[in-house]
Structures are given as C-alpha cells and as structure tokens.
Amino acid sequence: MRRQKKIIIIASLLLLGLFVYLFFHSTQTEQVSVETYDSVWLQHIENAPSLNQKEEQRLMSDDSTSGEEGKLKSSDENSKRTITEEIKEKIREAVEGTINLFKKDLKIVAIGDSLTQGVGDETESGGYVGILNNTFEDNNLNIKIENYGKKGNRTDQLLKRLEKEEIVASISKADLVFITIGANDIMKVVKSNFTNLKLELFEEERLDYIERLKAIFDKINEINPDTQIYLIGFYNPFELYFEDIEELALIMNRWNEAGRLVTEEYENVNYIPVADLFSQRTIELLADDYFHPNTTGYKLMAKRVLENVDEVSIETEITTESTAESESSTQQETTTEEFE
C-alpha cells in the first residue's frame, strides 16, 4: 500500500513538472506552476501506526519464529528492553551538544504554519519546536516553547490569530517569539491563478506579503515590546525534482529576501535562513509527502535556530547519519489530505 502511494505521489510530481515545462515553452508570457509546503499531499501522521505499535508488531513477529521455547522468555525480555531503548532514542530527537543560557530561564512562543506545527516529523516529536524542547530539557534548562503552529496558515490568517486571548497571553510573557510564515501565501497565488500563472502575480502578492509581515511584527510588539522576534525562512522543496525550472527557485528566493529585509527594519526582529540546509542534500531531508521536512530536516532547522538565537550559545557537532538510518527503519504509511 505504501509503495503504491509513493508511486502515485512521484507520478503526480512528474506530471506537475511536465505541465510546468509545457506551460513555459508554449506561451509568450513567463508562467510558472508551484506548490508549497502545505500541498495536496499532506502527511496524515495521526492516522499512521505509532512507533510503539510498529516495534511491538515486529517484536511479536520475531518471537513467533524464535525456535526453542525455553529461550523465548529470556529473549523476549531482552528484546523488549532493547526495543524500548530504540523507541526512546528514535522519538526523543535532540540537538547534541552543550547549550549555555544567558538568562536564568526563557519563555518562548512558536507560531506560524505547518513548519511550526511539525508536519512531516515521522517521530511525532513536534518538528523543530519539539526537538528544541528536548534539547533544552537534556541540558537541564528551564525553557519551554509553547507551540501555536497551524498547517495552512497564511500571513492574513496569522494576523487574525494574534487577536486570540490565549495567544496574546502567551506572547505577552514571552522572551522570544519564533515564526514560520509565507509559504502558504505563495500557494494562494497558485490556487487562485492556476490556469494563468505569471511571475508578475507572485511579485504583486509579495508586496502585500511584506505589508502583512510588518503588521504581524507590529502586532507582536504591541502585545510585548520587550520580546525578541525570530522569523525563520522557508526552503524550495522542488529543487531536487525540478531544479531546471529556475522560476521556482526565483520565487522562493525573492520571498525569503523580502522577509529578511523586513526584519532589518526592526531592532528586535531577526531573520534565520534555512534554505541552504535543504539545497545541497547528501541525505534525504523531506518527509514522505516530499514537501515538509522529515525528522532529520527538522533537526537541522533546530540547530540553525540555536545558532542564531542571541540568548543562548551552543557547542555542538550534529550528526545526521544515525538519524538517517533510524528513518529508514521507522518510515510510516501516510494518507493524503487536501490543502487547507
């Protein structure tokens, strides 16, 4: 079943690429077809078997063919202990190293789209936010991140959410605010103009995106003028499959640059780039939906965040090989879901 779904997804990507190629070379105007993170192929993690269930099933299968009945009980107990350790290691992803804190404690609020929510993280740890929480806990730091990520969120929707009492209360006490936003603003252009996509449409929407981004920063500063804000950029998930379509990369780069320039207008707002983390891949960094980061991708994002947050310092060397190996043994079946 999973193999069939992957074939369908890959075939859909190839068809999309063919459509874009024909679109470019059969018209006089410069046109482009692009999908973003919260696409029509979203992972449905909550419906997939948990790691515990899958490991327990494997354990039962192994035990049923173990042979000698006298050794079964001892082998079963040892296997259970080993599997428990494996599950703990796989689920509890954290950035290795020592974190130094320049304050006694910190309160952090993370808000934005699916990259904040952690869609694609096969260990269900909460993406980069969950990995950061684990890292702080492992370093015995009194830091907790409240996660208000919501897949499908655009800048206009995030602005409305900043009026909610619960979110206002959290931000009012936050030392830091992490934000991922913008990818779904691009997707809105695609959905609204799919049969007549032009680069000019993305440029027009980018100007509106800039104004809404400023409004978001202004609103957060109104709630809490003493907080530090970090805007986390987004990456090009199409680079691996459609690297010859330059317009896709151009759109992502220009929108990322727009976000970076806006942050420079504020003393308490900083920009954290992540596009480069996904551009030169020696291992797979995307989930089975081919759009969101997998656990390894989120781990790289978490490390990048720590490297750019002024309130902490990190002494670490990140290793992705062990994580990549664990991914191959813990891949889960996914179902598709329409973009919000």
Side-chain angles (χ1 to χ4, degrees), residues 231-250:
L231 175 67
I232 302 170
F234 40 83
Y235 57 91
N236 180 10
F238 303 96
E239 189 170 27
L240 180 63
Y241 303 100
F242 307 125
E243 59 183 358
D244 57 326
I245 303 179
E246 298 178 357
E247 288 78 5
L248 294 173
L250 177 64

Side-chain angles (χ1 to χ4, degrees), residues 111 148 150 153 157-172 219 223:
I111 194 167
Y148 294 100
K150 184 176 182 181
N153 250 200
Q157 295 170 323
L158 180 55
L159 266 173
K160 292 180 180 178
R161 294 180 66 210
L162 288 174
E163 301 289 341
K164 291 189 174 182
E165 183 176 346
E166 179 185 12
I167 294 177
V168 170
S170 292
I171 292 178
S172 66
K219 181 61 179 178
I223 297 171

Side-chain angles (χ1 to χ4, degrees), residues 77-128:
E77 291 177 353
N78 291 334
S79 296
K80 283 182 178 180
R81 283 197 296 269
T82 301
I83 289 172
T84 299
E85 293 172 358
E86 289 178 357
I87 293 174
K88 182 178 180 180
E89 180 180 353
K90 291 172 184 174
I91 292 180
R92 190 174 177 76
E93 291 289 351
V95 177
E96 297 86 355
T98 302
I99 311 298
N100 298 314
L101 187 63
F102 298 135
K103 290 181 61 177
K104 183 178 180 180
D105 50 47
L106 285 174
K107 176 178 174 58
I108 304 175
V109 169
I111 194 167
D113 52 27
S114 59
L115 292 183
T116 296
Q117 183 177 336
V119 174
D121 180 0
E122 67 271 24
T123 66
E124 302 182 19
S125 299
Y128 89 91

Side-chain angles (χ1 to χ4, degrees), residues 250-269:
L250 177 64
I251 291 170
M252 296 294 183
N253 290 340
R254 289 183 67 85
W255 280 61
N256 265 327
E257 181 65 7
R260 185 187 68 80
L261 291 175
V262 171
T263 64
E264 292 184 351
E265 298 181 18
Y266 296 80
E267 291 185 0
N268 67 326
V269 184

Side-chain angles (χ1 to χ4, degrees), residues 9-31:
I9 292 175
I10 293 173
S12 300
L13 286 170
L14 292 175
L15 287 174
L16 176 61
L18 178 62
F19 173 77
V20 173
Y21 177 82
L22 295 174
F23 215 50
F24 279 131
H25 295 277
S26 64
T27 61
Q28 304 256 330
T29 57
E30 198 172 20
Q31 299 178 327

Side-chain angles (χ1 to χ4, degrees), residues 13-272:
L13 286 170
L14 292 175
L15 287 174
L16 176 61
L18 178 62
F19 173 77
V20 173
Y21 177 82
L22 295 174
F23 215 50
F24 279 131
H25 295 277
S26 64
T27 61
Q28 304 256 330
T29 57
E30 198 172 20
Q31 299 178 327
V32 61
S33 178
V34 61
E35 293 278 1
T36 53
Y37 311 109
D38 291 295
S39 64
V40 295
W41 301 298
L42 284 176
Q43 277 194 315
H44 213 339
I45 297 296
E46 61 269 20
N47 289 337
S50 67
L51 289 176
N52 301 64
Q53 291 172 329
K54 296 188 72 176
E55 294 290 358
E56 288 174 0
Q57 290 170 3
R58 181 170 69 83
L59 175 62
M60 293 176 64
S61 175
D62 292 344
D63 287 345
S64 64
T65 58
S66 61
E68 297 180 19
E69 183 177 355
K71 297 181 180 179
L72 182 59
K73 184 175 181 180
S74 176
S75 175
D76 180 65
E77 291 177 353
N78 291 334
S79 296
K80 283 182 178 180
R81 283 197 296 269
T82 301
I83 289 172
T84 299
E85 293 172 358
E86 289 178 357
I87 293 174
K88 182 178 180 180
E89 180 180 353
K90 291 172 184 174
I91 292 180
R92 190 174 177 76
E93 291 289 351
V95 177
E96 297 86 355
T98 302
I99 311 298
N100 298 314
L101 187 63
F102 298 135
K103 290 181 61 177
K104 183 178 180 180
D105 50 47
L106 285 174
K107 176 178 174 58
I108 304 175
V109 169
I111 194 167
D113 52 27
S114 59
L115 292 183
T116 296
Q117 183 177 336
V119 174
D121 180 0
E122 67 271 24
T123 66
E124 302 182 19
S125 299
Y128 89 91
V129 174
I131 292 171
L132 287 178
N133 271 327
N134 291 341
T135 302
F136 296 146
E137 185 175 327
D138 289 350
N139 282 267
N140 298 314
L141 298 177
N142 187 22
I143 305 176
K144 186 68 177 179
I145 307 178
E146 296 182 0
N147 192 336
Y148 294 100
K150 184 176 182 181
K151 72 175 192 247
N153 250 200
R154 303 185 306 267
T155 47
D156 59 323
Q157 295 170 323
L158 180 55
L159 266 173
K160 292 180 180 178
R161 294 180 66 210
L162 288 174
E163 301 289 341
K164 291 189 174 182
E165 183 176 346
E166 179 185 12
I167 294 177
V168 170
S170 292
I171 292 178
S172 66
K173 300 176 183 178
D175 298 291
L176 310 176
V177 176
F178 296 154
I179 305 174
T180 62
I181 201 70
N184 295 294
D185 294 64
I186 298 177
M187 184 57 187
K188 182 182 178 182
V189 179
V190 177
K191 293 184 67 179
S192 301
N193 305 276
F194 190 76
T195 60
N196 188 33
L197 285 176
K198 302 177 183 179
L199 284 176
E200 290 82 357
L201 296 173
F202 293 96
E203 286 299 294
E204 293 172 4
E205 183 63 23
R206 186 174 66 92
L207 297 177
D208 293 335
Y209 164 73
I210 290 173
E211 294 305 312
R212 292 191 295 268
L213 197 56
K214 291 180 180 179
I216 289 171
F217 296 154
D218 290 340
K219 181 61 179 178
I220 293 175
N221 281 327
E222 177 186 329
I223 297 171
N224 184 354
D226 297 322
T227 193
Q228 291 293 316
I229 304 170
Y230 290 87
L231 175 67
I232 302 170
F234 40 83
Y235 57 91
N236 180 10
F238 303 96
E239 189 170 27
L240 180 63
Y241 303 100
F242 307 125
E243 59 183 358
D244 57 326
I245 303 179
E246 298 178 357
E247 288 78 5
L248 294 173
L250 177 64
I251 291 170
M252 296 294 183
N253 290 340
R254 289 183 67 85
W255 280 61
N256 265 327
E257 181 65 7
R260 185 187 68 80
L261 291 175
V262 171
T263 64
E264 292 184 351
E265 298 181 18
Y266 296 80
E267 291 185 0
N268 67 326
V269 184
N270 304 274
Y271 179 76
I272 302 178

